[in-house]
């Protein structure tokens, strides 16, 4: 049986526990892709091709794993709330991306 390249592609999703991140992960997993999800909290995705990496990208963007990634989809970010500093919001959502 011939396997296409698509079956071996690995995608990294930042913000995997957010609504948008979980939807993207689910869609990719339904297409038999290998997905690594990064988030501060567990996205609670149960799939043989899904691997979760617990990480707060505001503190460090280094992933201490050797993973061959074909694509990165960056949807992580912090919400701007009344209690948030605008400078922290800009740094976390724009400058480190």
């Amino acid at each position: 049986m011939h396997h296409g390249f698509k079956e071996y592609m690995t995608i990294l999703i930042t913000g995997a526990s957010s609504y948008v991140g979980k939807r993207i992960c689910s869609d990719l997993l339904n297409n038999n892709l290998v997905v690594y999800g990064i988030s501060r909290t567990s996205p609670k995705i149960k799939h043989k091709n899904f691997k979760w990496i617990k990480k707060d990208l505001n503190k460090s963007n280094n992933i201490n794993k050797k993973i061959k990634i074909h694509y990165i989809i960056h949807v992580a970010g912090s919400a701007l709330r009344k209690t948030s500093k605008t400078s922290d919001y800009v740094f976390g959502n724009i400058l480190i991306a």
Side-chain angles (χ1 to χ4, degrees), residues 15-61:
S17 64
S18 70
Y19 176 79
V20 173
K22 286 201 293 198
R23 286 289 308 179
I24 293 170
C25 288
S26 293
D27 288 348
L28 294 171
L29 291 166
N30 287 336
N31 284 291
N32 297 319
L33 298 170
V34 175
V35 177
Y36 283 84
I38 294 180
S39 57
R40 292 180 295 237
T41 58
S42 172
K44 298 179 179 142
I45 296 172
K46 305 285 187 219
H47 193 284
K48 65 179 177 132
N49 288 350
F50 182 76
K51 279 109 179 135
W52 176 52
I53 301 169
K54 182 176 183 168
K55 189 82 166 156
D56 183 346
L57 294 175
N58 285 322
K59 295 181 180 170
S60 169
N61 60 4

Side-chain angles (χ1 to χ4, degrees), residues 3 6 10 15 18 35 37 47 75 84-85:
H3 294 286
K6 177 181 159 183
T10 303
S18 70
V35 177
H47 193 284
V75 292
S84 304
K85 289 183 187 176

